[in-house]
């Protein structure tokens, strides 16, 4: 008969093959390589684990960007014991699986064989070829059987089948064999225990061969043992010589205890497994071989397309796949097609809705597939999104960003090359721009259709308020925009919300399919697997189709049955199998779960199903594998294993019921399966345990990253881990327990940093809200609730800066108030070592609680808020109105309308906006316009006040610039009342003239009167329009008016900085409060006033301090809340809280907690609480000097104790200078310089530098020898006549002008003198000029410059600011040598340290930065949310301390923990 090797060479590999070019892969289409792993089982546990748990996940991560993934086919547990007794069944199971690992029938499979000393299960009866799924591939087995050969192991048959010569040979082998050698050490030190050697030995013995007593049941005695041994050797020789096979050998070790019994029996065969060790080389070799094969056999150029195009391909592939099995429903298809292809009416949106499994997605796919190609060929726009079809597809933000990109790409392809191709980056900007950009695009191309299709909207993740359906086209969208969505009737409220957002939507219920359509669907689905059912009364099988359709008319049910039938292999029992199917989808899924439990093990199925069911939004396959291994490692005992923790073995059964199976997050696509799993497995205890398992695992993945500088790379799925962790921490904590688990996440600055870096800020904010809500229900969590609220506030205000400067996140956390939980929690963490010069610690941080709650990056003329539960803030920003999330500050909608006043309806569902073109009403949820004033509504001014009063919307008109307009403003204000009804055109039912120019209004509810503030008086009107009261003596111009919450009193604020309270019943002035600021500005005064929520205190603001002040009725200043850098326009109270909103003209709105004066407001003794324009340190660093607009002060730099203070008449351009000999400190006023004694700040003289008062002294410098003073001028009117003056001050009392630099020609803002006492420099609007002090000869000029300039004495260079950058040039040639970038607003000051190798800079962007001049990079940034625009910065000579003045009226004294 000859050897097996001879027969194989003559029979199996005799055909010739044609070599193929590498397979072309369509970009974006996932290629799934099924890799069959062949070996005997008991002795290759370690190798298989390495392959399944390490090699394949590693390759999948590396190949993800090429859309290629490997799915291991590992049948260790895929063949039941009963199957192993039936040769035909086991051959059919294993060899059919080998064929499923071929990409095409003509190619070799992807096959990996582990060759060891064991032979495998012997097959004594061969299945004929016609019994396999692909009979043509099994002709060799017929010849094998006809040659009389039997007794070959199933492992050998797998290998023989895999290496047949294919008709088409691939570029690189896809069949791999690895022969193992175990290094056991010297003979006398055999590592494998004697009683366990059977695990790794050849398992057959001759009948007369002796076997040790302790192993006699572990070997099989047979007369064919020698034959089997020879077959094993001969097959290996044969495999090594095949050209299209890759053969390798590898060596492993063995450690004591690696082989163990899994089931030990007395007097019978026991079962066990063996694990080898030292597999690193094997792991590396296999990964190298597989990656090489993938790269050689697939060619794909993905460089030409971007991520959005990649996503688009996947969504359109999903539509094609779903459409491929759709049949029937002709009328529905026609109706949907008409909607998509025509603009027959203004109803933009069609909603396909129905019960689960009714066929909505198939219908939508069929319609979309049919209209896409002809629509695009006609130049129309088509956008398709299938939720859960690919990674991230269930995230609304990702869909909207891709839609924005697609619209921009469409416009660019139509010639608009100047439009940016990049969509907005932040979720807030994306949301705000969504509707406006879609509408603008559709209006620009009225002859084009814009079709947007979204399948399964109910499966969106809830982030970005996706379920509210606000993102659907608005009512006002043009009719050439068509939208079709599908949703369940009840899931997540999406159907009801879609109807509310689009009341005119076309509702299309998807009901029961006809029997013919159902039959066609079943036939088409089974045909994909080469299977079919009888459709007639067969004498043996009956009418299988009729029986199946009688069970249920649900498409989902029938598709699930098809999936079960696909795997059912006993032809004669198919009919009975169909009869056994339950009649409901829930029972069917339970039936399938029972089937899987029998096949894979009940505990394994429970764990896998529980993980997927409990997961927040799905799990990656790698995650599931690692989760199972994590539990295996954690829960197993010394001698037992829970189960084979490889998810791949059940993947094929679950795949059809999982969403995003192609490389994405696996979750149950149909909720019925999820509900069935919950009912069947997830009792409360198991759900809690599973969530704890997920929580523990996810935290283990993050733990190494939660430090200052992580030393190891995170898990490949780390981003997803971050999104899941907190959710499972909350789910794993019983509701009665304390939420201490959050200490490691929501109260950990490094976890916060990671979430922000991975663009999960909004998700993080949502988690804070969820956790705080959870805490509020349990008194044991009240302190935790307070801490989480403070952390949430921190994230809201710091997210942008942490994203920009993640390395300084910890530093930002510890600069919160000392009482803040953010500071306290962070100080509990290990303190990282300081670098030279940083981080900087805010030394004089106010000791009291920080009153600022939230910072909104929008501001303007007016603001309104809901209660916290309503979570809405509306801002009038002049050219637009904005709707924001109150807690997170995220912009929800930008309303394109003129807006100078805003209000909210009592239910907080509508925003009223008033502007230059009347008023408009907007839906808070969708951002769509509900109503507006018509063209007939006329007014002379803008609407500066709007309020919902009973059944009316009340408005008042005034000048657009409000307070900055009283000089010469004579247009009379007017009041209008608009009925609150459902009309889309607002018409006033009452309108009257106030009789004087107006600036503000208020409504006194207890009297139902409206008050108008105008020039020097207040006028009150009833709702009928009659004037009921006039209060005079309110100052020359009354800017603001506010009503008491319950009493008949009102407040007024005027330009004279006097706040007045009036009793309207007695028409008397009750009291006055004189504001503490003395403003020299013509338009200064109290721009806004209000009562606090209790009505017991007064709130006010004025433009000089830019702060919110709290006064008692006696006029005592209780507190001053800072944070604004520009004039506050309006103060509004947040309903139901002790909070106030302030909005400024610089584009910032702040939310403050109003302190309760009765609680006391702790103040820090070290606070330097004033607007400081200049700071300077003595040479020894012991003293700090500051100059504000009111005083010059000397401080102990160590303790910050105030030593001396002298009055000084400064202004906003005041500068200072400390002479080199430390005898004098100079301070500049508007036109001159005063010098003060270094010791006691006694005045040592005054020099008037500028000859007239048209300009101001913007900067000055004194030469190092003290002999000359250079002053730079900034003229207001004749800016081109701004000069630099040089004075001889060797005798200060007799100082005289010796020169004037008149060649600059523009406003100057900065100057300096060189240490040679001969050269000077000025900088400003006309660049930077260097000249001689004696002759004013220009040495060189640079066209850049502005607010800061400084000579670098040691390196003979010059540093100067220009916009947000700092340049350094050579002082001789004027050539720039370096540029420092990092700020995003004007640089206002700088200070050199460490021998001029580093420089601290201060900027209008609210940061102080440290730059390395040698590396030309920013190495540190200090940011605090209370800081706004920094003025100048000073540094102690050793670099120990930095002092920086800020426009918010605070001086930041910062101390370096490590300095040189």
């Amino acid at each position: 008969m000859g050897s097996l090797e001879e027969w194989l060479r003559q029979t199996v590999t005799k055909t010739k093959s044609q070599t193929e070019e590498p397979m072309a892969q369509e970009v974006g289409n996932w290629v799934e390589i099924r890799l069959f792993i062949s070996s005997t089982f008991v002795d290759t546990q370690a190798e298989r684990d390495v392959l399944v748990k390490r090699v394949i996940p590693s390759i999948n991560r590396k190949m993800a960007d090429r859309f290629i993934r490997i799915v291991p086919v590992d049948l260790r547990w895929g063949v039941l014991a009963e199957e192993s007794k039936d040769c035909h069944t086991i051959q059919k199971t294993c060899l059919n699986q080998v064929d499923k690992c071929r990409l095409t029938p003509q190619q070799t499979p992807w096959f990996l064989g582990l060759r060891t000393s064991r032979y495998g299960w012997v097959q004594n009866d061969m299945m004929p070829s016609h019994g396999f799924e692909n009979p043509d591939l099994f002709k060799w087995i017929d010849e094998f059987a006809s040659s009389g050969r039997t007794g070959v192991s199933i492992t050998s048959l797998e290998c023989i089948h895999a290496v047949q010569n294919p008709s088409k040979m691939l570029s690189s082998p896809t069949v791999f064999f690895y022969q193992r050698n175990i290094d056991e050490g010297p003979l006398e030190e055999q590592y494998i225990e004697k009683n366990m050697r059977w695990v790794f030995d050849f398992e057959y013995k001759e009948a007369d061969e002796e076997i040790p007593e302790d192993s006699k049941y572990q070997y099989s005695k047979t007369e064919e043992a020698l034959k089997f041994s020879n077959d094993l050797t001969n097959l290996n020789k044969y495999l090594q010589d095949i050209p299209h096979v890759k053969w390798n050998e590898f060596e492993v070790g063995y450690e004591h205890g690696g082989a163990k019994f899994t089931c030990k029996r007395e007097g019978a065969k026991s079962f066990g497994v063996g694990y080898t060790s030292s597999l690193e080389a094997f792991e590396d070799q296999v990964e190298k071989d597989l990656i090489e094969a993938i790269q050689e056999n697939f060619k794909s150029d993905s460089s030409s397309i971007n991520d959005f195009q990649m996503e688009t391909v996947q969504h359109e592939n999903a539509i094609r796949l779903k459409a491929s099995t759709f049949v029937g429903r002709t009328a529905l298809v026609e109706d949907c097609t008409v909607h998509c292809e025509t603009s027959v009416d203004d109803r933009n949106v069609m909603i396909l809705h129905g019960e689960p499994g009714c066929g909505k997605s198939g219908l939508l796919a069929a319609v979309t597939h049919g209209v896409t190609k002809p629509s695009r060929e006609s130049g129309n726009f088509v956008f398709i999104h299938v939720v859960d079809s690919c990674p991230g597809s269930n995230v609304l933000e990702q869909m909207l960003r891709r839609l924005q990109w697609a619209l921009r790409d469409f416009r660019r392809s139509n010639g608009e090359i100047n439009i940016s191709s990049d969509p907005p980056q932040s979720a807030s900007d994306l949301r705000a721009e969504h509707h406006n950009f879609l509408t603008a695009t559709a209006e620009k191309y009225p002859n084009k259709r814009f079709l947007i299709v979204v399948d399964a909207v109910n499966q969106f993740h809830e982030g970005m308020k996706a379920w509210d359906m606000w993102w659907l086209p608005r009512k006002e969208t043009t009719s050439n925009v068509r939208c079709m969505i599908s949703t369940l009737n009840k899931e997540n409220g999406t159907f009801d919300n879609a109807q509310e957002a689009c009341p005119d939507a076309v509702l299309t219920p998807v009901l029961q399919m006809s029997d013919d359509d159902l039959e066609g669907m079943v036939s088409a689905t089974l045909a994909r697997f080469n299977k079919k059912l009888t459709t007639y009364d067969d004498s043996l099988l009956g009418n299988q189709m009729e029986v199946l359709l009688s069970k249920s008319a649900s498409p989902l049910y029938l598709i699930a049955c098809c999936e079960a039938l696909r795997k059912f292999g006993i032809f004669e029992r198919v009919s009975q199998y169909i009869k056994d199917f339950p009649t409901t989808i829930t029972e069917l899924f339970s039936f399938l779960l029972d089937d899987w439990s029998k096949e894979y093990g009940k505990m394994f199925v429970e764990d896998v199903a529980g993980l997927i069911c409990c997961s927040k939004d799905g799990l990656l396959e790698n995650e599931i594998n690692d989760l199972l291994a994590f539990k295996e490692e954690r829960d197993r005992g010394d001698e037992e294993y829970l189960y084979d923790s490889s998810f791949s073995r059940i993947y094929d059964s679950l795949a059809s019921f999982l969403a995003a199976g192609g490389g994405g997050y696996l979750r149950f696509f149909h909720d019925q399966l999820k509900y069935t799993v919950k009912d069947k497995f997830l009792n409360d205890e198991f759900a809690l345990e599973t969530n704890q398992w997920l929580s523990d695992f996810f935290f283990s993945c993050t733990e190494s990253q939660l430090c200052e500088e992580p030393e190891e790379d995170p898990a490949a799925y780390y981003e997803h881990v971050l999104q899941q962790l907190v959710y499972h921490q909350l789910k794993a904590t019983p509701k009665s327990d304390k939420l201490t688990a959050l200490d490691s996440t929501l109260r950990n600055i490094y976890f916060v940093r990671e979430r922000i870096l991975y663009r999960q800020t909004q998700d993080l904010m949502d988690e804070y809200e969820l956790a705080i809500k959870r805490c509020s229900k349990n008194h044991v969590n009240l302190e935790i609730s307070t801490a989480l609220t403070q952390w949430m506030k921190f994230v809201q205000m710091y997210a942008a800066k942490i994203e920009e400067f993640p390395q300084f996140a910890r530093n930002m956390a510890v600069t919160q108030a000392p009482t803040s939980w953010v500071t306290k929690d962070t100080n509990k963490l290990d303190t990282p070592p300081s670098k030279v010069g940083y981080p900087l610690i805010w030394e004089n941080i106010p000791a009291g609680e920080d009153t600022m709650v939230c910072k909104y990056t929008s501001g303007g003329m007016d603001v309104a808020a809901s209660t916290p539960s309503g979570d809405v803030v509306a801002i009038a920003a002049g050219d637009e109105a904005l709707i924001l999330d109150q807690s997170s500050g995220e912009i929800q909608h930008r309303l394109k309308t003129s807006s100078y006043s805003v209000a909210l309806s009592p239910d907080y569902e509508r925003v009223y906006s008033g502007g230059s073109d009347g008023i408009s009403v907007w839906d808070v949820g969708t951002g769509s316009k509900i109503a507006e004033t018509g063209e007939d509504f006329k007014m002379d001014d803008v609407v500066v006040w709007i309020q919902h009063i009973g059944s009316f919307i009340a408005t008042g008109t005034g000048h657009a610039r409000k307070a900055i307009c009283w000089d010469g403003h004579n247009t009379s204000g007017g009041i209008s009342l608009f009925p609150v009804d459902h009309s889309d055109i607002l018409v006033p039912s009452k309108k009257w003239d106030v009789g004087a120019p107006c600036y503000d209004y208020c409504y006194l509810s207890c009297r139902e009167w409206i008050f108008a503030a105008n020039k020097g008086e207040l006028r009150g009107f009833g709702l009928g329009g009659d004037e009921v009261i006039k209060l005079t003596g309110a100052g020359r111009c009354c800017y603001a008016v506010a009503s008491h919450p319950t009493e008949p009193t009102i407040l007024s604020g005027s330009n004279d900085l006097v706040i007045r309270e009036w009793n309207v019943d007695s028409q008397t002035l009750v009291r006055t409060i004189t504001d503490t600021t003395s403003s020299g500005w013509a338009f200064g005064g109290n721009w806004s006033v209000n009562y606090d929520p209790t009505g017991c205190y007064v709130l006010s603001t004025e433009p000089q301090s830019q702060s919110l002040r709290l006064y008692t009725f006696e006029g005592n200043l209780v507190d001053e809340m800072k944070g604004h850098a520009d004039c506050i326009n309006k103060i509004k109270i947040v309903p139901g809280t002790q909070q106030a909103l302030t909005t400024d003209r610089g584009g910032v709105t702040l939310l403050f907690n109003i302190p309760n004066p009765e609680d006391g407001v702790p103040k820090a003794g070290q606070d330097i609480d004033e607007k400081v324009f200049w700071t300077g340190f003595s040479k020894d660093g012991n003293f700090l000097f500051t100059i504000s607009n009111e005083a010059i002060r000397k401080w102990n730099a160590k303790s910050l104790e105030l030593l001396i203070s002298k009055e000084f008449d400064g202004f906003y351009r005041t500068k200072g200078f400390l002479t080199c000999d430390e005898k004098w400190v100079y301070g500049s006023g508007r036109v001159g310089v005063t010098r003060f004694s270094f010791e006691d700040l006694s005045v040592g003289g005054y020099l008037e530098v500028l000859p007239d008062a048209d300009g101001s002294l913007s900067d000055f410098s004194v030469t190092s020898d003290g002999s000359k003073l250079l002053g730079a001028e900034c003229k207001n009117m004749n800016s081109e006549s701004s000069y630099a003056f040089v004075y001889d001050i060797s005798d200060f009392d007799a100082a005289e002008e010796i020169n004037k630099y008149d060649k600059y020609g523009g406003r100057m803002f900065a100057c300096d003198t060189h240490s040679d006492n001969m050269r000077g420099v000025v900088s400003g609007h006309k660049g930077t000029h260097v000249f001689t002090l004696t002759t004013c000869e220009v040495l060189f000029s640079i066209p850049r410059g502005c607010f800061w300039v400084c000579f670098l004495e040691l390196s003979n260079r010059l540093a100067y600011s220009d916009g947000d950058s700092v340049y350094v040039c050579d002082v001789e040639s004027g050539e720039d040598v370096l540029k420092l970038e990092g700020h995003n607003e004007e640089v206002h000051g700088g200070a050199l340290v460490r021998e001029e190798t580093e420089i601290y800079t201060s900027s209008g962007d609210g940061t102080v930065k440290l730059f390395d001049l040698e590396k030309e990079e920013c190495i540190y940034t200090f940011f605090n949310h209370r800081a706004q625009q920094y003025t100048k910065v000073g540094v102690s000579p050793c670099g120990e301390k930095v002092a920086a003045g800020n426009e918010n009226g605070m001086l930041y004294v910062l101390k370096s923990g490590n300095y040189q």
Side-chain angles (χ1 to χ4, degrees), residues 279-332:
L279 290 160
E280 293 80 9
F282 168 73
E283 179 182 340
D284 293 342
Q285 184 64 51
V286 175
E287 181 167 331
K288 175 177 175 292
D289 290 344
L290 288 172
I291 288 179
E292 182 179 290
I294 291 171
Q295 292 173 336
E296 291 292 326
N297 289 318
F298 296 94
K299 62 178 182 180
S300 173
D301 181 15
S302 60
S303 60
S304 60
I305 70 171
N306 59 36
D307 291 343
F308 295 121
Q309 291 168 314
M310 283 273 196
E311 286 183 49
T312 298
V313 168
Q314 293 176 82
H315 287 283
E316 299 190 2
N317 286 343
I319 284 291
R320 280 197 292 270
L321 179 63
K322 291 185 179 186
S324 66
T325 57
F326 179 84
V327 293
R329 288 183 163 170
T330 308
L332 274 179

Side-chain angles (χ1 to χ4, degrees), residues 951-970:
S951 59
F952 296 101
I953 303 170
T955 65
T957 60
H959 195 278
R961 298 188 69 199
K962 300 187 82 170
I964 314 178
C965 64
W966 57 267
D967 191 10
H969 177 219
N970 295 310

Side-chain angles (χ1 to χ4, degrees), residues 909-950:
E909 293 183 358
R910 296 186 175 192
V911 170
Y912 308 125
S913 172
S916 59
D917 49 6
I919 69 171
S920 51
V921 183
W922 304 78
D923 184 274
V924 168
T926 64
S928 58
K929 187 188 295 183
I930 298 171
E932 61 185 336
T933 46
E935 295 180 359
D936 295 337
F937 181 73
K938 304 295 183 184
M939 57 186 187
D940 296 321
D941 276 349
V942 303
V943 177
V944 297
W945 171 75
I946 189 167
Q947 186 172 338
H948 188 116
I949 299 174

Side-chain angles (χ1 to χ4, degrees), residues 1273 1279-1280 1282-1284 1301-1309 1322-1329 1342 1344-1346:
E1273 181 181 32
S1279 59
E1280 70 283 354
S1282 299
Y1283 302 141
Y1301 182 64
D1302 57 5
K1303 302 180 181 65
Y1304 190 76
R1307 291 175 179 147
M1308 291 173 274
F1309 301 104
V1322 293
S1323 190
H1325 285 164
K1326 295 294 183 178
T1328 302
H1329 293 199
I1342 302 167
R1344 293 181 297 276
C1346 210

